Amino acid sequence: MSHPEASAPQPRDLPPGQYVPRGWPVLHYGPVPKFRPKDWDFRVFGATASGEQHRWSWEEFDALPRTRAVTDFHCVTKFTIPGNEWEGVPGTAIVELAPPAPDVTHVMVWAEYGYSANIRMSDFLADGTMFATHHDGERLTADHGFPIRIVVPHLYAWKSVKWVRGVEYLVKDRRGFWEERGYHNVADPWSEQRYSYQEEDGEAPPL
């Protein structure tokens, strides 16, 4: 049976269980925050190499060198948006500007209202992972994360946190917002890692 919201024909290289919708659905927890550039900042803290916190104002962050990548976007609710052109500051650049301590293994990405998602450092440094400011040549809209969202295109999109405000370097993994509420700690769409009951030994900290 075809999905009632799906477009036809469907691409052949979708992860298992995914479909391409008409348009780009908007899903998030809580209200859309109001952006106040004078009060906004981006912080990197936790287990930094220097032991100190790094901070950028909006003007400083928006002036950082950006890169582009074209990637698919896979939501755990089973839709995939193919061929997105993202522009933003890559995770590798953040690590260069704010070096982590040698024993850092994960990051916690923090957003407005205390929302969070944990990501392995290998995923944070992967090609295509970035703090996106633009989508398909335009500034992000408020519904899709303006002024910045992290994009981790090879994982389910709850890891691609909207309205990001900071990154915490972790020397030991711990679960983020949805991971504490029953979602998979790793979130690989090609393996359909949707829920925590699917986790294997070594994939996650205790619930």
Side-chain angles (χ1 to χ4, degrees):
M1 185 190 312
S2 63
H3 195 289
E5 298 174 351
S7 303
Q10 298 288 291
R12 299 179 64 181
D13 57 349
L14 295 179
Q18 298 294 108
Y19 74 97
V20 177
R22 301 185 188 278
W24 187 3
V26 175
L27 300 173
H28 51 257
Y29 181 86
V32 176
K34 183 174 177 59
F35 175 54
R36 297 177 175 86
K38 290 184 179 179
D39 299 327
W40 189 95
D41 62 7
F42 179 90
R43 298 171 187 261
V44 178
F45 58 99
T48 63
S50 66
E52 298 180 352
Q53 177 178 262
H54 301 259
R55 177 187 176 276
W56 290 265
S57 68
W58 168 242
E59 186 176 271
E60 291 167 337
F61 190 92
D62 198 38
L64 293 176
R66 297 195 292 260
T67 190
R68 290 185 178 89
V70 177
T71 61
D72 296 344
F73 183 85
H74 309 295
C75 183
V76 72
T77 61
K78 299 190 176 182
F79 72 80
T80 288
I81 308 297
N84 301 272
E85 181 183 293
W86 300 102
E87 180 180 339
V89 180
T92 52
I94 296 298
V95 166
E96 290 174 4
L97 294 166
D103 51 348
V104 168
T105 59
H106 294 74
V107 302
M108 187 73 77
V109 181
W110 290 98
E112 302 283 359
Y113 309 126
Y115 180 88
S116 62
N118 58 318
I119 301 170
R120 298 174 297 187
M121 182 59 81
S122 58
D123 295 318
F124 188 68
L125 299 177
D127 289 345
T129 297
M130 69 175 72
F131 293 92
T133 56
H134 292 70
H135 176 260
D136 288 347
E138 302 289 341
R139 285 277 183 186
L140 293 174
T141 63
D143 281 348
H144 287 297
F146 176 80
I148 64 169
R149 71 179 301 162
I150 192 171
V151 175
V152 190
H154 60 286
L155 301 181
Y156 280 127
W158 85 79
K159 299 287 191 178
S160 293
V161 177
K162 298 177 182 179
W163 311 304
V164 172
R165 294 296 303 273
V167 171
E168 180 183 3
Y169 290 149
L170 305 176
V171 298
K172 183 179 180 181
D173 190 18
R174 69 176 191 266
R175 295 176 185 269
F177 181 90
W178 285 117
E179 294 80 14
E180 288 182 331
R181 289 161 174 80
Y183 281 81
H184 199 283
N185 201 55
V186 177
D188 176 10
W190 296 96
S191 300
E192 289 197 271
Q193 293 176 338
R194 301 178 189 274
Y195 305 112
S196 58
Y197 71 80
Q198 299 170 301
E199 291 168 3
E200 300 177 359
D201 289 344
E203 282 187 329
L207 284 168

